[in-house]
Amino acid sequence: MRMSVVKLHMYTNEHYEQCEAFILPEEQVQFTSFPTDVVTDAVAHPDKFPVVIKKDELVVGFFILHLNPPKTHRTDEQSVLLRAFSIDERHQHQGYAKEAMMQLPEFVHHHFPEVTAITLAVNKKNIAAKSLYFKTGYVDTLQSVMGPIGEQHILAFDLEKESRLKQ
């Protein structure tokens, strides 16, 4: 098995400058947020944890883990919601998003051992993101919510099921 090229790290202020330099393709801007548009709110919120995806010392991606998300966005009381997931345009199509998503269950388990599921809302028109999430073990919960630009499907990754499979 090859070594991971990227690693997940809790965001610190040292990452702000690189996050500020993020570039997102126009077709993705409708589906996600620039890191610096959401990080200030996240840092000030006790249940939101910004995370950077780093290749060596370079920030190539970003997302937020939101504990105690709205009931509409979770599968059970102990779900964490993945929000604002993005990869800098200059680093897309290199497998970093998939690698980060594959590392996420272990990262969540390490930082939030009480969490039993990772959930996310993905716009039904965001085919590329849905494909990524399905490839990395997420399943459609058949729940949906209305987002700012239309219907979003709630997908989930069952951490308890995953840990049973590893035993």
Side-chain angles (χ1 to χ4, degrees), residues 12 22 48 50-51 58 67 69-70 76 78 93-95 106 128 145 156:
T12 67
F22 244 62
K48 291 182 181 176
V51 178
L58 195 60
L67 294 174
D76 64 46
Q78 296 301 323
H93 310 294
Q94 295 177 49
E106 186 59 39
V145 294

Side-chain angles (χ1 to χ4, degrees), residues 59-127:
V59 173
V60 298
F62 176 89
F63 60 88
I64 292 172
L65 292 173
H66 183 178
L67 294 174
N68 305 308
K71 281 191 177 4
T72 52
H73 287 71
R74 62 182 178 206
T75 51
D76 64 46
E77 289 302 311
Q78 296 301 323
S79 293
V80 65
L81 179 65
L82 175 71
R83 310 178 80 129
F85 186 88
S86 63
I87 301 289
D88 185 310
E89 182 176 36
R90 295 163 292 191
H91 303 285
Q92 291 183 6
H93 310 294
Q94 295 177 49
Y96 300 158
K98 183 177 181 187
E99 211 168 307
M101 292 302 292
M102 297 298 285
Q103 290 177 29
L104 188 57
E106 186 59 39
F107 184 83
V108 167
H109 180 72
H110 176 77
H111 289 279
F112 310 103
E114 72 285 2
V115 168
T116 56
I118 303 166
T119 57
L120 58 88
V122 59
N123 189 288
K124 73 175 190 176
K125 296 183 195 115
N126 193 346
I127 307 304

Side-chain angles (χ1 to χ4, degrees), residues 23-41:
I23 299 172
L24 291 174
E26 203 171 311
E27 68 274 9
Q28 291 173 14
V29 172
Q30 63 183 322
F31 298 127
T32 191
S33 304
F34 283 94
T36 49
D37 290 348
V38 292
V39 77
T40 306
D41 169 67

